[in-house]
Amino acid sequence: MHIGVLTNSLTQVGVSSLMDISEWAAANGIMELEAGPAIQMDEKTWNEAREKTGVRVGTMIYCRNFLSSDPEEARKHIQALRERIEFSGKMGVGKVVCSTGVVSASMEKLDYRPELTLEAFRTLFTDIMELAEKNHVRVCFEMCPWMFNVACAPNMWDQLFEAVPSENLGLCFDPSHLVWQMIDAYQVLRRFHSKIFHVHGKDTEIDRIALGEYGILQNTKWWRHRLPGLGELDWNRIIDLLYQIGYDGVLSIEHEDPVWEGTEEKVKKGILIAKAHLEQFIR
C-alpha cells in the first residue's frame, strides 16, 4: 500500500500543470496521482512528467450528471467519460472514478429515492462497461450522493452491481461520506471487499453541539470534511482492514479540509499532514 494524491485541491489553487504537480509530489515522496478533470489529457505531457519525475497517474476521476434531464449536458458528460476511459486504457492508467448520474425523480422529494435512477443507470452503464472492459479499465463509483450519484449506500451498491454485472465495476472507498450518512465504514470494507478498487484518504468531523441545534436535515451545518486523523475515523483500523481484504493499492489523499484550504501553501501543507498520518499505519 502507498500514498497518492488527487490533484483537485492543487488545481483549485492554481497549480494546474501536471509537471509542476508531479515534481512537487516526487519531492515529497508521493509517487502516484489521481488526475482530476482540470488535468488535460495530453499523451506527450503525461509521458514527459512521468519520465522526469517517476510519478505515475494511476487513476482518473470524472463525476458529472451523465443522466441529466438536459440532453446536451448528458451527451457532453457521457462523451467526456468515454474519452477518459479510452485515454486511461491507452496510457495504462487502469482506473476511472466516476458517479452514476441521477435522474431528477430521485431527488424531487425530501426522502431521497436513489432506486428511481436504476433503470437509466442500467442502460447507460451497460454500454460504458463494454467500453471499459475493451480498454482494460476498472470503473469505480464515488460514494458521495452530492456528486450526481446514487452509489451512496450498501443497498444501492447491491442493486447497481446486479444491474450491470461486470467484474470491472467496483467502488472507490471513501469513508468520509459514510460517516455523515451514519453507515459503518468498517463493515462496508468487510462486506464489499471484492469490489474495493480504489481508496480515498479523507475524513469527516461531526460537531455534535451543532447537530443538536440544527438536526440532520441541515446537513452542511453539523459536519465537515477533514484530513485523515482530524475526524471521526480510525485510520489504523481502516488500513488494517484493507490489508485483511487484500487491498494493496493507493490511498489517494482527497484534500477537502476547509481548515487547510485557500492558498497553495496551505493546501500543500494539508496534503503532507494527511500523508504523515496515513504513513504511520502502512506496514
Side-chain angles (χ1 to χ4, degrees):
M1 217 175 301
H2 58 281
I3 304 298
V5 66
L6 172 53
T7 61
N8 287 353
S9 61
L10 292 164
T11 58
Q12 287 165 5
V13 291
V15 189
S16 57
S17 161
L18 181 61
M19 182 66 78
D20 290 345
I21 293 173
S22 297
E23 288 179 339
W24 177 82
N28 288 279
I30 298 170
M31 303 308 293
E32 182 169 329
L33 300 176
E34 180 177 346
I39 300 296
Q40 297 299 309
M41 293 184 293
D42 181 81
E43 184 176 355
K44 181 175 181 290
T45 301
W46 284 44
N47 286 333
E48 287 177 350
R50 181 168 184 177
E51 288 169 6
K52 181 177 180 181
T53 67
V55 175
R56 69 181 294 265
V57 176
T59 311
M60 300 185 74
I61 183 168
Y62 190 74
C63 295
R64 297 291 188 272
N65 194 1
F66 310 112
L67 301 175
S68 171
S69 58
D70 180 338
E72 179 56 26
E73 179 185 7
R75 185 205 63 77
K76 178 181 70 175
H77 292 322
I78 292 169
Q79 180 60 29
L81 177 61
R82 292 178 65 89
E83 289 171 356
R84 280 164 173 78
I85 290 171
E86 291 173 340
F87 188 75
S88 293
K90 182 178 183 180
M91 300 300 293
V93 171
K95 292 178 293 182
V96 174
V97 176
C98 67
S99 52
T100 60
V102 179
V103 300
S104 58
S106 289
M107 305 170 67
E108 287 177 352
K109 296 183 179 180
L110 188 61
D111 57 329
Y112 181 49
R113 300 178 65 189
E115 68 277 3
L116 296 180
T117 289
L118 192 61
E119 285 308 312
F121 161 83
R122 186 198 312 271
T123 299
L124 173 60
F125 272 86
T126 296
D127 177 65
I128 291 294
M129 292 314 301
E130 288 179 1
L131 181 67
E133 290 167 2
K134 178 181 176 181
N135 284 275
H136 308 288
V137 170
R138 285 178 156 189
V139 171
C140 321
F141 287 135
E142 251 281 9
M143 294 184 170
C144 178
W146 290 350
M147 300 300 294
F148 308 107
N149 187 42
V150 299
C152 53
N155 74 306
M156 286 308 303
W157 302 329
D158 285 334
Q159 293 179 70
L160 295 170
F161 295 143
E162 181 179 358
V164 183
S166 170
E167 292 184 359
N168 284 37
L169 187 61
L171 297 171
C172 169
F173 177 72
D174 185 338
S176 70
H177 300 301
L178 303 178
V179 171
W180 63 267
Q181 292 186 86
M182 308 301 169
I183 296 171
D184 186 331
Y186 313 107
Q187 181 58 29
V188 163
L189 278 176
R190 295 186 182 95
R191 180 176 165 192
F192 291 92
H193 59 91
S194 65
K195 287 293 191 178
I196 305 298
F197 294 169
H198 189 63
V199 177
H200 277 168
K202 188 171 67 178
D203 214 325
T204 291
E205 175 185 23
I206 293 177
D207 183 337
R208 285 169 174 77
I209 295 175
L211 179 59
E213 179 71 16
Y214 296 108
I216 62 170
L217 295 182
Q218 299 182 61
N219 70 12
T220 60
K221 296 179 179 179
W222 57 270
W223 65 268
R224 60 180 178 172
H225 287 311
R226 298 302 311 272
L227 300 167
L230 299 178
E232 305 292 317
L233 293 161
D234 181 346
W235 286 91
N236 185 22
R237 185 178 177 190
I238 287 172
I239 290 173
D240 179 63
L241 283 169
L242 287 169
Y243 278 120
Q244 289 186 46
I245 68 172
Y247 182 84
D248 194 28
V250 67
L251 302 179
S252 185
I253 295 168
E254 184 181 17
H255 178 3
E256 294 183 352
D257 189 324
V259 178
W260 294 96
E261 289 180 343
T263 68
E264 179 181 339
E265 181 182 6
K266 289 179 70 176
V267 166
K268 288 180 174 177
K269 178 66 173 177
I271 291 170
L272 297 181
I273 290 170
K275 176 176 179 284
H277 184 74
L278 294 172
E279 279 185 330
Q280 64 183 318
F281 306 124
I282 294 177
R283 280 54 166 176

